[in-house]
Amino acid sequence: MNTANNQPNYQFSQSPTKFNHQNANTWLLPDGVQDLLSHQAVKQENLRHELLAILKSYGYELVSPPLIEFTESLLGYATDDLKRQTFKMIDQLTGRSMGVRADITPQIARIDANLQNRKTIVASSIARYCYAGHVVYTLPKGLFGSRMPLQLGAEIFGISDLKADIEILNLLLALLDNNQLIARCHLDIGHVAIFQTLSQLANLSPNVIEQLIDLYSNKALPALDGFCQQLAKTSAFAQDFYVLGEFSNDLTKLEEKLSITAKSHPTIRQALDDLTALIRHLHSRNISISVDVSALKGYHYHTGVVFNVYVENERLPIVRGGRYLNPFANELRQATGFSCDLTRWQQHIDNPKEMLTIVAFSSNLPNDVLEQREQVITTLRKEGQAVVVALSEQDIPASATHMLIYEQGQWQQKMI
């Protein structure tokens, strides 16, 4: 502050210089982060709009959680993998730790529990939510994966019946069918309650559980056989764990080979029946289906039916879903749902039909003719076309396809 005249001393930076290689780094983006330019941005926005419209037409309420939250709520019940994928920072207002969401599903569970705790809904009521928003990963998932994908999903809370799982799968197939993607997809279904129940019956330690999950994940049957032989020294259910791996894709053989104690357990019996019913229901749909009861990636989070959708020969699923318990709720509250990676989804669909881009040049015409032009422009825009009113003769967008010109007493479109 200039004390002589109480006038501030402003310091202005030098005028910007032309781009040179010395400041080239200012144009770099982190690995896994990219700009979406016109065609891809329009494609993603149209996809998001179309799929949300379907979700809302099924009665799912649209909610939009914040991108950042305090880590107590964002990561209070998170898996270790989700914690590793979450960027953390310090809130400059409170000094508390905050995180940038890496998954929206836990936020939906928090919203549902908050509404329940406020008595907006009761624990026994069924609630449906849908959402679409960006998430941010500390590390990309898969080679060249995005660290800021657009996630879309749907969740249904308050019902433990298989009807909810069927509704969620029907809803997912409706989304895939909307983009003519369903015939190119493969749906893999599992049920984590079988392994969970066997682990409880065998009283396995967390370390043994993790080793078994790794063996199942790697489909390492010889190693699994050796591990189960060692496990047989301390557990009567060792052979059941091997059977679960060997016949994970064949429900008939699995039920036949499981021990009488295992397959007669109410939870395992119900899980087998649920999977059989789901497959029977889905067989009429135009999608390839398989079963894998040893797919336990969500073991620490899911409690029942789980599923993944793969497009063609991709290694990573484009959709993940399944049943879980809402950890935020004061009372036991079942939920099931799915989330989609729209950033990858859009790579498998065609670009939407592009609107025409029409350039209307200013001209020295009578006012009534110019007023007529404005009416024509308004009509074209309502019909879904883009009209740019040129500010100079050089103002012709690269996307322009037509010109609006006045000929023979009327405004006409002509190709450029």
Side-chain angles (χ1 to χ4, degrees):
M1 181 72 72
N2 187 329
T3 55
N5 55 15
N6 278 340
Q7 296 297 316
N9 283 332
Y10 295 111
Q11 294 185 348
F12 296 96
S13 61
Q14 294 180 350
S15 60
T17 58
K18 291 184 178 180
F19 174 80
N20 59 64
H21 292 292
Q22 292 181 344
N23 60 14
N25 284 339
T26 62
W27 294 83
L28 292 179
L29 293 173
D31 289 343
V33 178
Q34 62 180 350
D35 294 314
L36 285 185
L37 301 183
S38 181
H39 292 303
Q40 289 302 312
V42 170
K43 186 178 183 180
Q44 185 175 96
E45 179 58 23
N46 283 352
L47 178 61
R48 183 196 67 83
H49 177 76
E50 286 179 7
L51 298 189
L52 278 180
I54 294 173
L55 294 176
K56 290 187 288 184
S57 74
Y58 276 68
Y60 285 72
E61 297 182 51
L62 180 63
V63 293
S64 181
L67 185 63
I68 56 174
E69 283 192 35
F70 291 123
T71 51
E72 292 95 322
S73 61
L74 192 65
L75 301 177
Y77 299 97
T79 62
D80 289 340
D81 179 60
L82 185 57
K83 290 177 181 177
R84 284 190 294 268
Q85 283 283 33
T86 302
F87 279 103
K88 303 173 186 69
M89 66 190 79
I90 299 299
D91 181 12
Q92 297 300 306
L93 291 176
T94 64
R96 295 170 62 185
S97 174
M98 293 198 306
V100 182
R101 68 184 180 205
D103 186 13
I104 300 178
T105 302
Q107 294 183 295
I108 307 302
R110 173 185 57 75
I111 288 172
D112 180 76
N114 191 33
L115 292 174
Q116 179 189 337
N117 296 340
R118 290 181 181 180
K119 307 303 181 185
T120 305
I121 59 175
V122 296
S124 60
S125 65
I126 297 174
R128 295 172 174 84
Y129 309 96
C130 64
Y131 61 86
H134 284 95
V135 295
V136 183
Y137 301 147
T138 56
L139 294 169
K141 294 184 178 181
L143 190 64
F144 306 121
S146 172
R147 294 170 68 191
M148 194 175 169
L150 180 61
Q151 186 182 81
L152 175 142
E155 312 289 331
I156 180 169
F157 291 81
I159 183 168
S160 59
D161 195 280
L162 186 65
K163 292 177 183 177
D165 303 279
I166 291 174
E167 177 176 314
I168 280 293
L169 284 167
N170 285 342
L171 180 57
L172 173 57
L173 295 181
L175 299 185
L176 294 170
D177 199 31
N178 179 71
N179 294 132
Q180 291 79 51
L181 201 59
I182 191 169
R184 296 158 53 197
C185 289
H186 179 82
L187 173 63
D188 192 48
I189 303 177
H191 204 303
V192 300
I194 300 175
F195 178 75
Q196 288 174 341
T197 304
L198 284 175
S199 300
Q200 293 166 5
L201 291 172
N203 196 26
L204 298 186
S205 67
N207 181 53
V208 172
I209 289 174
E210 293 301 329
Q211 291 181 69
L212 280 168
I213 290 175
D214 286 341
L215 290 169
Y216 290 142
S217 176
N218 295 324
K219 305 298 180 185
L221 282 180
L224 178 63
D225 186 27
F227 187 87
C228 290
Q229 288 181 27
Q230 292 296 316
L231 187 63
K233 297 176 182 179
T234 57
S235 173
F237 295 93
Q239 184 61 21
D240 288 314
F241 288 107
Y242 178 75
V243 167
L244 191 66
E246 184 178 10
F247 302 106
S248 62
N249 307 117
D250 189 333
L251 291 181
T252 302
K253 283 286 185 65
L254 176 65
E255 185 173 357
E256 178 186 324
K257 298 292 185 179
L258 281 173
S259 67
I260 294 176
T261 304
K263 64 187 176 186
S264 62
H265 190 282
T267 303
I268 295 178
R269 177 73 266 153
Q270 187 64 55
L272 293 171
D273 290 344
D274 286 350
L275 286 173
T276 302
L278 276 177
I279 293 169
R280 187 185 306 117
H281 171 76
L282 293 167
H283 264 319
S284 61
R285 306 302 295 270
N286 185 28
I287 189 170
S288 169
I289 304 169
S290 65
V291 176
D292 188 356
V293 293
S294 67
L296 301 169
K297 184 174 179 60
Y299 169 79
H300 300 289
Y301 178 68
H302 290 294
T303 59
V305 172
V306 292
F307 54 89
N308 293 302
V309 175
Y310 299 85
V311 181
E312 297 173 329
N313 296 319
E314 286 200 2
R315 188 178 65 85
L316 293 176
I318 198 171
V319 181
R320 299 180 187 272
R323 180 168 288 278
Y324 59 97
L325 290 175
N326 187 346
F328 294 93
N330 292 334
E331 303 177 46
L332 186 67
R333 188 156 168 82
Q334 294 268 2
T336 186
F338 63 81
S339 63
C340 317
D341 183 345
L342 293 194
T343 303
R344 289 176 49 226
W345 185 312
Q346 74 180 75
Q347 297 171 12
H348 298 282
I349 62 175
D350 296 330
N351 279 314
K353 183 179 179 181
E354 293 190 18
M355 64 174 66
L356 296 178
T357 300
I358 304 164
V359 182
F361 289 97
S362 300
S363 54
N364 297 321
L365 294 171
N367 288 336
D368 59 332
V369 175
L370 292 178
E371 288 176 3
Q372 183 184 356
R373 186 192 69 171
E374 293 307 309
Q375 294 174 2
V376 171
I377 290 173
T378 299
T379 300
L380 287 170
R381 286 172 175 166
K382 286 181 178 179
E383 292 173 351
Q385 309 305 332
V387 182
V388 175
V389 178
L391 302 180
S392 71
E393 293 182 359
Q394 290 74 39
D395 187 11
I396 305 177
S399 59
T401 55
H402 291 72
M403 291 188 299
L404 188 64
I405 60 175
Y406 189 71
E407 282 187 351
Q408 299 178 353
Q410 60 181 347
W411 290 97
Q412 302 180 34
Q413 297 177 44
K414 288 204 171 181
M415 291 187 66
I416 294 179

